[in-house]
Amino acid sequence: MTVKRNVHSAVNDWIRRVCWFWLFAASMAAANEFSSIEEGTVRRIDIETTRVRESVVRRELTFGEGDRLSDDDIQKSRRNLHRLNLFKTLSIESVADPDTGEIDVSISGEDGWFMLPWPMAGSRGGTRYAMLALMELNYFRRAEGMALMGMIRDDELSGLFAFSVPDYSVMIGSFAASLREYAYRDGGFNVKDFENATDGEDAGDFGEIVNSYERETRHDNIQVVFPAGPDWRLVLGGSLVEISYDDAVQPELVEDEKSRILSVSLQYGKGDDTSPGPAMIGMFGRIFGLGMAAVEDELQPTRQTETHWGGRISLDYAPEWLGSDREYVKLGGRLDRRTIFRDRSRLSLFTHCTWTSAAPDGQLPSTNRGHGLRGVYAREYRGDTLVSAGISYQRPFWTTRIGSLSANIFSEYAAAWFDGGYGAKEGVGLSLAYRFWRFPLPLGMGYTYSLDDRNGQYSFAMGGMF
């Protein structure tokens, strides 16, 4: 009875948190939208580029010949072209015929291409990593990007191949890791590699340990992204996950797993939920000036406060007939809101939930980055049901033609329910990062404080994604 009351109290507490969370978002992020001004009907569109095909540019326009043109159409088309990460300069001009009122639109842009190898290195929560990437962008004049990446961490090895053209992408990846995992009496598990940690922390510092073992994970996956309408994307995927346990203190509590998973998700918005491959390739194009038209736009205050919504719903299914040891279903949903103020500061909020039926231990939702959290923690909780939410505020306070220095503060909460109980991960954090516009060498450091563990973790990066 006591456990049920505790769980019921936790649910009520979570509902109150979410309600206050979104009420705060509404009060902080009221947008001052300007109404668009209709200018006339488009008679002709002239496009001049250095390399990329005209058809690629036309697909990014929100208007065509014969359509009514508004200032809003021009701004949206400009943003769409900036997302290609191609243009060194970009100009969109419209001239109205005084006799007919029809409009001729002229679009001119300087673009290019590149091929490049690049090394990276950094550390998060005491875990060191090194990475090598080989990339190309727009060699075939279709705004395509390709990347081949490999990364080594303390006890991890991963590889990724990504190919994308505007609105379509495919990624094939493989990940292998080995970690001494500790299970705690309160339901928590370590995600920090204590054996290789350099800060002197020990697994026993975080509570009573009820089991420990060597956990080896192998994850191979493929993902294909298709457009499904304006700002909508359909993502199809498949993955093979194998987890084995060795040298367990209590071997009867762990069991090897194999899951073959079919996945489908529907995503909305142009926010942080997009594929990482194209974003990383575009970042390296800055060395050659590609995408600098978007940077020049970022250096200016926005014309108005802008609010963008995003989200996704997802389904994972691991059937026995495909070779899974256990058949299970996992359902997920996420809602994002991001407000960009006129000074380019950003307020971001998210709510995430996941539910699974009969999933093995290795496939349970966890209070980690995969479910929305951005902090670096020593431990996480896993369960059949998980809910999370977070708020962050980023402010650039020194921006020049060379780069931008910005600070980010965040607060987040996640709870996982398991075996009649639950575990909550609560954290706050601060990060400081300097981003060079023309050179992909971000410098950053961050600190996360776990309110539940009463523990802080540092992270830093140089020459990688921070």
Side-chain angles (χ1 to χ4, degrees), residues 1 29 51 62 81 163 192 211 235 312 319 368 403 420 432 466:
M1 183 65 70
R51 183 177 180 85
T62 62
L81 291 170
F163 173 80
K192 182 173 182 176
N211 199 8
V235 183
R312 73 168 183 263
N368 57 25
L432 188 68
F466 181 70

Side-chain angles (χ1 to χ4, degrees), residues 14 53 81 99 101 115 117 151 180 205 208 226 231 234 243 246 286 293 295 324 338 343 366 373 416 419 451 463:
W14 167 252
R53 297 175 186 269
L81 291 170
D99 297 327
M115 291 186 180
M151 185 172 71
R180 186 70 186 182
D205 298 337
E208 183 182 352
F226 305 89
D231 292 340
L234 178 66
I243 301 177
D246 192 23
R286 300 288 192 271
V295 172
S324 298
R338 182 177 58 176
D343 62 357
S366 306
L373 302 190
D419 298 330
L451 298 173

Side-chain angles (χ1 to χ4, degrees), residues 227-463:
D231 292 340
W232 289 89
R233 300 177 301 281
L234 178 66
V235 183
L236 303 178
S239 57
L240 168 63
V241 181
E242 295 180 329
I243 301 177
S244 61
Y245 302 90
D246 192 23
D247 191 27
V249 174
Q250 298 190 59
E252 69 278 4
L253 299 181
V254 293
E255 183 179 358
D256 292 353
E257 308 167 13
K258 181 172 69 174
S259 300
R260 292 181 175 175
I261 308 164
L262 303 175
S263 303
V264 59
S265 69
L266 186 63
Q267 303 177 358
Y268 173 77
K270 300 282 188 180
D272 300 330
D273 201 31
T274 55
S275 301
M280 177 173 284
I281 296 171
M283 181 184 72
F284 285 92
R286 300 288 192 271
I287 296 176
F288 308 96
L290 304 182
M292 288 302 295
V295 172
E296 291 293 331
D297 187 63
E298 282 190 42
L299 293 174
Q300 307 300 321
T302 61
R303 301 175 60 212
Q304 62 205 40
T305 296
E306 301 176 357
T307 296
H308 304 279
W309 290 89
R312 73 168 183 263
I313 54 175
S314 62
L315 167 67
D316 293 346
Y317 175 48
E320 291 184 345
W321 54 262
L322 197 58
S324 298
D325 292 337
R326 183 189 301 182
E327 184 169 292
Y328 71 89
V329 173
K330 184 187 297 183
L331 299 174
R334 179 182 171 108
L335 181 63
D336 294 271
R337 176 170 177 158
R338 182 177 58 176
T339 298
I340 304 174
F341 299 97
R342 297 191 64 186
D343 62 357
R344 293 291 180 179
S345 60
R346 300 187 179 197
L347 178 70
S348 302
L349 306 103
F350 81 90
T351 299
H352 184 104
C353 62
T354 303
W355 171 86
T356 184
S357 173
D361 292 343
Q363 293 301 308
L364 293 176
S366 306
T367 59
N368 57 25
R369 290 184 174 231
H371 293 84
L373 302 190
R374 62 184 304 153
V376 177
Y377 301 100
R379 300 198 312 156
E380 67 181 18
Y381 295 96
R382 305 165 188 166
D384 296 319
T385 303
L386 182 141
V387 289
S388 61
I391 181 171
S392 65
Y393 178 73
Q394 176 181 314
R395 181 175 180 83
F397 54 86
W398 187 40
T399 300
T400 67
R401 294 285 173 177
I402 299 175
S404 176
L405 180 66
S406 62
N408 191 302
I409 59 174
F410 66 89
S411 176
E412 56 195 11
Y413 175 88
W417 280 263
F418 50 87
D419 298 330
Y422 82 105
K425 175 61 64 180
E426 301 178 80
V428 294
L430 169 69
S431 65
L432 188 68
Y434 188 83
R435 174 187 177 192
F436 294 94
W437 299 126
R438 290 293 300 269
F439 195 65
L441 184 66
L443 305 173
M445 62 179 299
Y447 177 78
T448 303
Y449 184 76
S450 175
L451 298 173
D452 53 296
D453 281 330
R454 299 184 180 181
N455 169 266
Q457 297 290 321
Y458 291 94
S459 60
F460 76 92
M462 180 178 66

Side-chain angles (χ1 to χ4, degrees), residues 36-343:
S36 60
I37 302 174
E38 289 194 352
E39 299 176 354
T41 301
V42 178
R43 179 173 62 185
R44 186 174 69 247
I45 302 174
D46 296 321
I47 299 174
E48 181 180 355
T49 63
T50 308
R51 183 177 180 85
V52 70
R53 297 175 186 269
E54 178 179 324
S55 59
V56 174
V57 176
R58 283 187 174 271
R59 282 199 299 268
E60 301 301 319
L61 302 180
T62 62
F63 58 89
E65 285 88 348
D67 294 338
R68 293 288 293 179
L69 182 68
S70 69
D71 182 67
D72 191 50
D73 289 323
I74 293 177
Q75 297 306 318
K76 287 182 178 178
S77 298
R78 187 187 306 275
R79 286 196 296 266
N80 290 345
L81 291 170
H82 283 166
R83 290 192 187 103
L84 297 178
N85 290 311
L86 278 183
F87 291 101
K88 303 177 182 179
T89 60
L90 178 65
S91 173
I92 303 179
E93 298 179 353
S94 59
V95 178
D97 188 320
D99 297 327
T100 65
E102 294 180 315
I103 297 174
D104 294 333
V105 180
S106 175
I107 301 173
S108 61
E110 181 185 1
D111 61 279
W113 67 281
F114 81 91
M115 291 186 180
L116 181 73
W118 193 261
M120 307 179 201
S123 174
R124 277 200 180 109
T127 300
R128 298 153 295 185
Y129 67 86
M131 180 175 176
L132 177 65
L134 306 174
M135 292 161 287
E136 76 87 13
L137 179 64
N138 199 40
Y139 177 80
F140 299 102
R141 303 175 56 209
R142 298 184 181 276
E144 84 290 340
M146 285 189 283
L148 182 63
M149 308 177 199
M151 185 172 71
I152 299 176
R153 298 210 292 182
D154 287 339
D155 290 301
E156 297 179 7
L157 178 65
S158 60
L160 173 71
F161 170 78
F163 173 80
S164 67
V165 292
D167 297 326
Y168 296 86
S169 67
V170 58
M171 290 190 295
I172 302 173
S174 181
F175 168 84
S178 176
L179 175 70
R180 186 70 186 182
E181 188 169 89
Y182 299 87
Y184 293 84
R185 184 166 297 280
D186 67 352
F189 297 85
N190 67 297
V191 288
K192 182 173 182 176
D193 187 355
F194 291 111
E195 293 182 342
N196 294 303
T198 58
D199 54 13
E201 289 186 336
D202 184 79
D205 298 337
F206 293 84
E208 183 182 352
I209 299 171
V210 295
N211 199 8
S212 69
Y213 41 81
E214 290 291 334
R215 170 172 160 161
E216 295 186 0
T217 303
R218 172 71 182 270
H219 187 180
D220 303 319
N221 69 289
I222 181 172
Q223 175 181 286
V224 184
V225 181
F226 305 89
D231 292 340
W232 289 89
R233 300 177 301 281
L234 178 66
V235 183
L236 303 178
S239 57
L240 168 63
V241 181
E242 295 180 329
I243 301 177
S244 61
Y245 302 90
D246 192 23
D247 191 27
V249 174
Q250 298 190 59
E252 69 278 4
L253 299 181
V254 293
E255 183 179 358
D256 292 353
E257 308 167 13
K258 181 172 69 174
S259 300
R260 292 181 175 175
I261 308 164
L262 303 175
S263 303
V264 59
S265 69
L266 186 63
Q267 303 177 358
Y268 173 77
K270 300 282 188 180
D272 300 330
D273 201 31
T274 55
S275 301
M280 177 173 284
I281 296 171
M283 181 184 72
F284 285 92
R286 300 288 192 271
I287 296 176
F288 308 96
L290 304 182
M292 288 302 295
V295 172
E296 291 293 331
D297 187 63
E298 282 190 42
L299 293 174
Q300 307 300 321
T302 61
R303 301 175 60 212
Q304 62 205 40
T305 296
E306 301 176 357
T307 296
H308 304 279
W309 290 89
R312 73 168 183 263
I313 54 175
S314 62
L315 167 67
D316 293 346
Y317 175 48
E320 291 184 345
W321 54 262
L322 197 58
S324 298
D325 292 337
R326 183 189 301 182
E327 184 169 292
Y328 71 89
V329 173
K330 184 187 297 183
L331 299 174
R334 179 182 171 108
L335 181 63
D336 294 271
R337 176 170 177 158
R338 182 177 58 176
T339 298
I340 304 174
F341 299 97
R342 297 191 64 186
D343 62 357

